[in-house]
Amino acid sequence: MNNEYHFYDTSALLERANTLSEFEENIVISTTVLEELEKIKSSNNKDEVVKQMARKIIRYIKNNPTEIEVICYVDDMLDYVRNLGIESSTPDNKILAAAIWYDQHVAPDNTTFFTNDLSLSVIANLYFGEDSICSIENSSDYYKGYVTVNLNEEELSNLYQYPNIPLLEHYTNEYVFVENIDGELVDILCWTGERYRPLIYKTFSSKMFGTIKPMKNDKYQRCAFDSLANNQMTLLKGPAGTGKSIIALSYLFYQLEEGQIDKIIVFCNTVATKNSAKLGYYPGSRDDKLLDSQIGNFLASKLGGKIEVERLMKEETLILLPLSDIRGFDTSGMNAGIYITEAQNMDISLMKLALQRIGEDSIVIIDGDCEAQVDLQAFSGANNGMKRASEVFRGEDFYGEVELGKIHRGRIATTAQKM
């Protein structure tokens, strides 16, 4: 440990939820942050991904009590914020007050304040100065494909008047959830690399799936629809039940029926579910084995049964290609929609090999959950191909990424996310 102390607010700590064990600096938080995390983990108004991150942080602090220093907030600390001309006693101001107290009494001139909240960073700048305030929105390897900003009326007016001035350091095609100071969503924008644009998409309609639109106006699904409509390559991630596969497949069949693509090719790595009993080898041809495996069951559940999947495969409208046979394959000239599903079960070399098969006339959709559904140790951590694809492609003008954060499958699936 060095003599530098990093004081985190709730938003910044949530961004580090997946990299807590990698902390090398002296981390400090206040009890107000713990109170907010407790509220978040059981809130009916928060998305499942955020709630899962809050639970993960609380468990980590409980199991590693010496790794993160917790400062007890007391009301007298609020005088430090009042001295800046701020009278309100919001949770953010209480956190900032504790950070100022810590800087003055424990680590003078050695405290850096971490926040991803734009409004709080403006207030914190009055004390710490710009050089001692950090946002980790894009400094972490974990990327969601979107950020949230809270703006007052003047800041909202400036945003629309000067859409070419970025609020933060964005990746190209990164989405921005614009909230007012009360935390209400007022708009969703996309940074093009030059300016903010509104979301541009339409619903998907096909004979296979009917009309598909964002469920309950889900803001994450709206971003996913927009990315598919505007990018050659889209990566969708998130917990089970958030709509990754139905969005991906419905879009591909919509494109197929509209004549935009000629076939759908599914790249698959048929890995048995973690901790499950192995059933051994399946009889039959390669396609027979694939139909009896995880990918066959998945497609049958989405496309109306195994007979329908077999029909599509016989017509070569749908091709299942196991990664074991992918070397030398080239989609150039096929005008295909490539679907890489359960992509969390790929290491870097497999993902690289798969993406090197993609010709310029094909579109690509990748989906998976690299945080909770990795089924082999060989695909975990820094060797995960889905994570590495995100790191390499984010910022490219043909690439979009969205973490879906709301479970729509039902109450049982939603509650199971807490396990």
Side-chain angles (χ1 to χ4, degrees), residues 167-181:
L167 298 169
L168 301 167
E169 292 186 10
H170 296 294
Y171 289 105
T172 298
N173 295 328
E174 184 174 37
Y175 295 97
V176 182
F177 297 139
V178 182
E179 296 181 351
N180 60 24
I181 57 176

Side-chain angles (χ1 to χ4, degrees), residues 374-395:
V374 178
D375 293 311
L376 281 180
Q377 185 65 33
F379 305 141
S380 63
N383 196 38
N384 187 268
M386 187 175 175
K387 288 183 178 180
R388 183 58 181 157
S390 170
E391 293 168 0
V392 170
F393 283 92
R394 68 181 72 155

Side-chain angles (χ1 to χ4, degrees), residues 74 78 89 135 140-141 147 163 218 264 267 273-274 276 361 376:
V74 294
L78 205 57
S89 57
S135 169
S140 170
D141 285 341
V147 294
D218 184 329
I264 298 169
F267 290 0
T273 305
K274 185 178 181 180
S276 65
D361 61 342
L376 281 180

Side-chain angles (χ1 to χ4, degrees), residues 140-375:
S140 170
D141 285 341
Y142 192 78
Y143 176 62
K144 296 180 179 181
Y146 51 80
V147 294
T148 300
V149 296
N150 299 93
L151 305 179
N152 58 34
E153 290 186 9
E154 182 180 356
E155 291 166 336
L156 281 169
S157 177
N158 288 336
L159 171 63
Y160 293 116
Q161 188 173 359
Y162 306 106
N164 60 318
I165 300 177
L167 298 169
L168 301 167
E169 292 186 10
H170 296 294
Y171 289 105
T172 298
N173 295 328
E174 184 174 37
Y175 295 97
V176 182
F177 297 139
V178 182
E179 296 181 351
N180 60 24
I181 57 176
D182 296 321
E184 299 169 331
L185 183 69
V186 296
D187 206 350
I188 303 177
L189 304 173
C190 180
W191 178 251
T192 67
E194 298 179 351
R195 67 193 310 274
Y196 293 108
R197 66 161 176 82
L199 265 60
I200 304 170
Y201 69 89
K202 57 183 179 180
T203 57
F204 313 146
S205 183
S206 66
K207 295 177 182 178
M208 183 65 70
F209 289 95
T211 299
I212 302 294
K213 59 184 179 180
M215 296 186 67
K216 300 179 180 178
N217 209 30
D218 184 329
K219 62 182 182 182
Y220 307 106
Q221 290 193 2
R222 287 159 66 187
C223 292
F225 276 51
D226 180 271
S227 181
L228 291 170
N230 291 283
N231 296 311
Q232 183 183 5
M233 178 179 178
T234 293
L235 187 150
L236 302 176
K237 61 185 179 182
T242 52
K244 302 184 299 296
S245 58
I246 191 66
I247 291 173
L249 283 171
S250 62
Y251 181 74
L252 289 171
F253 274 91
Y254 158 72
Q255 289 282 289
L256 184 70
E257 293 183 14
E258 289 290 310
Q260 299 300 311
I261 59 175
D262 296 330
K263 62 186 65 181
I264 298 169
I265 306 175
V266 181
F267 290 0
C268 49
N269 195 28
T270 52
V271 176
T273 305
K274 185 178 181 180
N275 298 325
S276 65
K278 308 299 188 293
L279 297 180
Y281 292 103
Y282 295 109
S285 65
R286 186 187 78 177
D287 285 348
D288 291 333
K289 293 178 180 180
L290 288 171
L291 284 169
D292 286 332
S293 71
Q294 170 268 335
I295 188 62
N297 293 327
F298 161 74
L299 290 172
S301 70
K302 303 296 182 184
L303 303 180
K306 186 179 291 187
I307 293 177
E308 180 63 19
V309 178
E310 290 175 333
R311 181 187 70 80
L312 292 168
M313 292 174 65
K314 186 175 182 180
E315 295 175 352
E316 295 189 351
T317 299
L318 175 66
I319 298 173
L320 305 187
L321 184 63
L323 294 179
S324 58
D325 297 341
I326 202 172
R327 193 177 298 279
F329 189 75
D330 183 355
T331 73
S332 297
M334 292 185 178
N335 193 37
I338 309 302
Y339 182 30
I340 306 177
T341 183
E342 299 291 335
Q344 74 275 0
N345 286 324
M346 298 171 67
D347 66 8
I348 294 174
S349 62
L350 276 176
M351 180 63 77
K352 178 180 179 180
L353 183 64
L355 293 176
Q356 287 176 327
R357 308 304 101 198
I358 310 301
E360 193 59 36
D361 61 342
S362 295
I363 60 174
V364 186
I365 305 176
I366 302 172
D367 81 18
D369 180 4
C370 53
E371 296 304 315
Q373 298 189 59
V374 178
D375 293 311

Side-chain angles (χ1 to χ4, degrees), residues 19-202:
T19 57
L20 289 173
S21 60
E22 300 173 12
F23 279 178
E24 296 181 356
E25 65 267 41
N26 300 300
I27 301 299
V28 188
I29 62 173
S30 74
T31 49
T32 307
V33 170
L34 290 180
E35 292 169 1
E36 288 200 308
L37 291 172
E38 286 289 345
K39 291 178 181 178
I40 289 171
K41 76 173 189 179
S42 57
S43 172
N44 292 326
N45 299 319
K46 295 293 183 180
D47 301 310
E48 287 303 320
V49 172
V50 177
K51 290 160 71 172
Q52 182 183 21
M53 288 180 174
R55 289 190 289 267
K56 184 179 292 188
I57 293 170
I58 292 169
R59 283 197 300 268
Y60 182 84
I61 294 173
K62 181 179 180 181
N63 296 331
N64 303 274
T66 63
E67 295 298 314
I68 297 180
E69 183 179 359
V70 181
I71 298 302
C72 182
Y73 167 81
V74 294
D75 288 336
D76 289 345
M77 292 178 178
L78 205 57
D79 288 339
Y80 293 104
V81 173
R82 293 193 179 104
N83 291 336
L84 301 176
I86 308 298
E87 292 296 329
S88 59
S89 57
T90 63
D92 280 350
N93 290 341
K94 290 179 180 179
I95 294 169
L96 177 58
I100 296 174
W101 175 89
Y102 191 86
D103 180 66
Q104 291 194 8
H105 294 275
V106 181
D109 300 321
N110 287 320
T111 303
T112 302
F113 186 63
F114 280 74
T115 179
N116 290 330
D117 186 289
L118 184 62
S119 298
L120 182 55
S121 68
V122 171
I123 299 172
N125 182 49
L126 298 175
Y127 174 81
F128 285 100
E130 292 184 0
D131 293 339
S132 294
I133 302 175
C134 294
S135 169
I136 60 165
E137 195 69 56
N138 284 332
S139 64
S140 170
D141 285 341
Y142 192 78
Y143 176 62
K144 296 180 179 181
Y146 51 80
V147 294
T148 300
V149 296
N150 299 93
L151 305 179
N152 58 34
E153 290 186 9
E154 182 180 356
E155 291 166 336
L156 281 169
S157 177
N158 288 336
L159 171 63
Y160 293 116
Q161 188 173 359
Y162 306 106
N164 60 318
I165 300 177
L167 298 169
L168 301 167
E169 292 186 10
H170 296 294
Y171 289 105
T172 298
N173 295 328
E174 184 174 37
Y175 295 97
V176 182
F177 297 139
V178 182
E179 296 181 351
N180 60 24
I181 57 176
D182 296 321
E184 299 169 331
L185 183 69
V186 296
D187 206 350
I188 303 177
L189 304 173
C190 180
W191 178 251
T192 67
E194 298 179 351
R195 67 193 310 274
Y196 293 108
R197 66 161 176 82
L199 265 60
I200 304 170
Y201 69 89
K202 57 183 179 180

